[in-house]
Amino acid sequence: MALTIFILRLAVCILAFPMYLLDFLGLWNWICKKSLPYFLARFTVMYNKQMASKKQELFSNLQEFAGPSGKLSLLELGCGTGPNFKFYPPGCRVTCIDPNPNFEKFLIKSIAENRHLQFEHFLVAAGEDLHQVADDSMDVVVCTLVLCSVKNQERILQEVCRVLRPGGAFYFMEHVAAKPSTWNYFWQQVLNPVWYLLFDGCNLTRESWKALEWARFSKVKLQHLQAPLACELLRPHIYGYAVK
């Protein structure tokens, strides 16, 4: 099986040679950073339609984690185009972080469409380094379709724990590796190197539930599901929340 995966990976990489050449020349990263927001602006509309019921279920108890003032302070990591905004409760104070500054104009549009929220800041930063956010300052941290592409899952979860107040919660919804010995898992293994380059560091083969279970949360409520998505490679999902 390993030899078959290697041969097929090699064939796919040969077909993707122009992309690898652009990456070698230092051009591909620039192309990705510029084009990804336009792709995600379309993809997240479709994703939200297909995952609306699960997102509503996931975020249904957000308000329970509001502080003494009754207002919820929420930090979203890898906010992208802002597709989660409509699921947040009225009056929620939202701070957005994304390493790609090209998302800002899409965020402005989402902010205009979600007047029920109070937007605080848009910070250009990686989730592994949230030094601009104070310790114990957030009631809730959210990331969806983000842990697949961060460089260091352990580090980002350490930062999440740092910025969350005691009793605060981390909400997540992520695509993950399929079950071993399935055809989906096989093709995830074959296509992952090219997928990683094509989609700006996104991994098909991450077992993100393990990082969440190993992190310093007092409670983790996590479920696996097969998402109703057209792309079978992305169907294996986890979602839930973890309490500090």
Side-chain angles (χ1 to χ4, degrees):
M1 182 67 75
L3 179 60
T4 304
I5 289 174
F6 173 78
I7 292 170
L8 289 173
R9 271 185 180 178
L10 183 61
V12 171
C13 288
I14 290 170
L15 291 173
F17 175 76
M19 189 167 60
Y20 281 97
L21 178 60
L22 288 171
D23 187 53
F24 176 77
L25 295 173
L27 299 173
W28 183 252
N29 185 60
W30 180 86
I31 293 170
C32 264
K33 297 298 184 190
K34 288 288 188 180
S35 61
L36 190 64
Y38 292 93
F39 168 77
L40 287 181
R42 293 178 176 271
F43 172 79
T44 52
V45 170
M46 175 198 69
Y47 185 86
N48 267 358
K49 287 180 180 178
Q50 295 170 327
M51 299 294 288
S53 63
K54 290 300 179 185
K55 280 197 173 185
Q56 288 165 356
E57 175 190 340
L58 174 64
F59 295 128
S60 62
N61 67 336
L62 274 175
Q63 193 60 40
E64 294 177 12
F65 292 97
S69 68
K71 284 200 171 184
L72 187 73
S73 293
L74 184 150
L75 172 68
E76 181 162 354
L77 305 180
C79 56
T81 60
N84 292 325
F85 292 167
K86 66 180 182 179
F87 298 100
Y88 296 158
C92 178
R93 296 192 298 250
V94 180
T95 299
C96 300
I97 286 185
D98 201 286
N100 188 345
N102 297 299
F103 278 114
E104 187 169 11
K105 71 175 183 179
F106 295 90
L107 276 176
I108 292 170
K109 180 175 182 291
S110 291
I111 289 168
E113 294 170 350
N114 291 277
R115 297 292 186 182
H116 66 291
L117 303 177
Q118 180 181 333
F119 291 92
E120 302 286 318
H121 307 286
F122 171 58
L123 305 174
V124 179
E128 293 91 341
D129 182 9
L130 303 177
H131 69 274
Q132 299 168 351
V133 184
D135 295 2
D136 304 329
S137 60
M138 293 292 164
D139 299 314
V140 166
V141 178
V142 172
C143 78
T144 59
L145 304 183
V146 171
L147 294 179
C148 58
S149 58
V150 298
K151 292 180 180 178
N152 188 324
Q153 289 186 334
E154 180 181 355
R155 178 60 185 157
I156 198 172
L157 292 174
Q158 287 174 351
E159 282 290 84
V160 166
C161 288
R162 180 183 66 78
V163 303
L164 276 175
R165 63 165 178 81
F170 174 57
Y171 283 74
F172 54 89
M173 179 176 282
E174 301 288 337
H175 72 85
V176 294
K179 291 181 180 179
S181 303
T182 63
W183 279 111
N184 198 6
Y185 181 81
F186 173 83
W187 286 110
Q188 285 178 338
Q189 297 290 323
V190 169
L191 295 173
N192 192 60
V194 170
W195 186 279
Y196 177 88
L197 191 59
L198 183 61
F199 293 108
D200 197 23
C202 176
N203 288 274
L204 291 169
T205 57
R206 282 195 172 167
E207 298 174 332
S208 299
W209 63 89
K210 292 182 179 179
L212 287 159
E213 290 166 351
W214 293 337
R216 295 178 298 155
F217 294 110
S218 63
K219 180 178 74 172
V220 177
K221 185 177 180 181
L222 182 153
Q223 297 182 62
H224 290 257
L225 78 150
Q226 288 294 310
L229 303 176
C231 180
E232 189 169 347
L233 294 169
L234 298 178
R235 287 179 186 172
H237 266 56
I238 57 170
Y239 73 112
Y241 65 93
V243 179
K244 178 177 174 180

